[in-house]
Amino acid sequence: MENNSEIRPFTIDIPQADLDDLRDRLARTRWTTDLPGVGWSRGVPASYLKGLAEYWRDGYDWRVHERRLNAYPQFTTEIDGQNIHFLHVRSPEPDALPLILTHGWPGSIAEFLDVIGPLTDPGAHGGAPEDAFHLVVPSIPGSGFSGPTVEAGWDTNRVTRAFAELMDRLGYDRYGAQGGDTGAVVSPGLGRLNPDRVVGVHANGLSAFTQIDSDEAAELTDAERARLAHLEYLHTEQSGYVMIQISRPQTLAHALHDSPVGQLAWIVEKFKEWTDPAAELPEDAVDRDLLLTNVMLYWLTGTAGSSANSYYETAHAGAWSASERSTVPTGVAVFPLDVSIRRAVEREHTVVHWSEFDRGGHFAAMEAPDLLVGDIREFFRKLR
């Protein structure tokens, strides 16, 4: 059956009944208790979560953020049998370079709200007009308004092919790709898929799945040794969510789909663990309303399960590892707690640009948008 290739305008318009239901569920939360003195060492403390959930119920105004999202042109189109939602923000600069921005998990299009203006209209944000981009910001199939997925098989390779088709459908035959987390898999994948069309790939949080042997380890810098140690910590202390999502995502889905506080805890834990280590609490690293808008894009679309299922699909397809070395010029931005080690990354990517920053974290576009924007501009300046 042929795909319907029509591109349709889209406006977010959540029924008030859904918002009333959320407030009712938050008010009726059955709370667990905390062990004394354990803090965040075993996950999100109820003492913290209660305060955040109370603000979500009584202080956070979804309609404000719905309007902010709707200030940008949004569209949907069907690709490979799946509805794909995306922002398409054209620059006022006619010679702007098209750039596709891909979020990760547990992120969303909300990750990029603070970088859209500076990237599309740098002249209005203290930058040079010649650094402008036309932005395409899709929701990954299974996430946000590109979800839930309607069939199995949506691993990152299939997502990559769909996003390549999206750029083709929009008439962009020459473009760049940027992303972190899942976006740091999909963006290089676009380069491998279309090396003649993707002029460059910029990624934050880019790590390679190749091993560092003992001889190489002896040559690492102190910073790289710290990243290697943190990678080991991620594999031990922080791999629980991965194992659940690559093995039994559907069991998890029942809890997160039914409980907003469960969904909140599942996401906010990552904002505690992965953001700038200088930040004591998630909202010290990321604006609290922006964090909750990100959670809302999971809750309101019912995509807790389908977004987790993408881990299952990707792991079982072996799609996290690169199939071949990318020949596309690649720029890497390394933020605190990233585990990017250049010699490992260079085995899979043609690295021509490498930056290291001392503030920010995994959600760089939300935590340090100024640094990320500056690095994206600098990297692509040589490739236009």
Side-chain angles (χ1 to χ4, degrees), residues 1-6 77-82 165 169:
M1 188 173 69
E2 288 191 16
N3 284 333
N4 174 9
S5 60
E6 180 188 359
T77 191
E78 183 183 309
I79 298 176
D80 196 10
Q82 177 65 34
E165 167 63 23
R169 199 170 285 186

Side-chain angles (χ1 to χ4, degrees), residues 60-340:
Y60 172 84
D61 185 349
W62 162 256
R63 294 302 184 197
V64 169
H65 304 284
E66 185 179 71
R67 286 193 294 272
R68 186 183 180 191
L69 287 162
N70 282 333
Y72 299 110
Q74 297 172 66
F75 304 88
T76 60
T77 191
E78 183 183 309
I79 298 176
D80 196 10
Q82 177 65 34
N83 179 65
I84 305 291
H85 164 262
F86 61 100
L87 308 185
H88 187 198
V89 189
R90 297 274 299 178
S91 171
E93 303 298 330
D95 295 328
L97 177 69
L99 179 67
I100 180 170
L101 300 176
T102 304
H103 66 82
W105 183 93
S108 66
I109 56 169
E111 282 188 58
F112 299 114
L113 284 175
D114 290 335
V115 303
I116 292 173
L119 288 175
T120 56
D121 192 4
H125 293 83
E130 56 267 26
D131 284 331
F133 297 93
H134 298 308
L135 291 184
V136 178
V137 190
S139 300
I140 290 176
S143 293
F145 295 101
S146 289
T149 37
V150 295
E151 64 181 2
W154 277 96
D155 64 275
T156 51
N157 285 338
R158 188 171 176 184
V159 172
T160 301
R161 293 192 297 271
F163 286 1
E165 167 63 23
L166 175 62
M167 296 303 278
D168 187 52
R169 199 170 285 186
L170 292 171
Y172 293 136
D173 56 7
R174 184 177 183 273
Y175 58 93
Q178 200 285 329
D181 194 85
T182 307
V185 178
V186 172
S187 301
L190 285 166
R192 290 187 180 92
L193 193 63
N194 288 316
D196 297 333
R197 300 175 71 173
V198 177
V199 300
V201 170
H202 184 280
N204 52 290
L206 182 64
S207 57
F209 289 86
T210 50
Q211 298 296 312
I212 300 290
D213 62 34
S214 55
D215 290 340
E216 288 178 311
E219 298 175 7
L220 296 180
T221 65
D222 289 344
E224 289 173 331
R225 286 197 185 93
R227 286 176 209 149
L228 203 57
H230 186 63
L231 182 61
E232 182 59 30
Y233 171 74
L234 293 177
H235 285 161
T236 53
E237 289 295 311
Q238 288 194 31
S239 62
Y241 84 97
V242 175
M243 295 311 298
I244 292 172
Q245 295 194 160
I246 69 174
S247 61
R248 296 294 182 270
Q250 189 60 26
T251 303
L252 172 71
H254 300 301
L256 304 190
H257 188 82
D258 187 58
S259 167
V261 162
Q263 179 69 89
L264 178 64
W266 192 247
I267 289 177
V268 83
E269 179 194 285
K270 299 308 162 206
F271 277 83
K272 163 65 173 174
E273 299 282 5
W274 295 349
T275 50
D276 192 326
E280 184 178 349
L281 294 172
E283 61 266 35
D284 297 331
V286 173
D287 177 78
R288 181 170 58 170
D289 273 22
L290 192 55
L291 172 60
L292 289 171
T293 298
N294 182 69
V295 174
M296 287 291 267
L297 289 174
Y298 285 81
W299 176 258
L300 294 173
T301 58
T303 50
S306 56
S307 62
N309 199 56
S310 67
Y311 274 66
Y312 181 98
E313 302 286 4
T314 299
H316 286 77
W320 269 319
S321 299
S323 55
E324 58 191 28
R325 187 173 186 273
S326 173
T327 59
V328 174
T330 300
V332 182
V334 186
F335 291 88
L337 298 185
D338 284 348
V339 293
S340 310

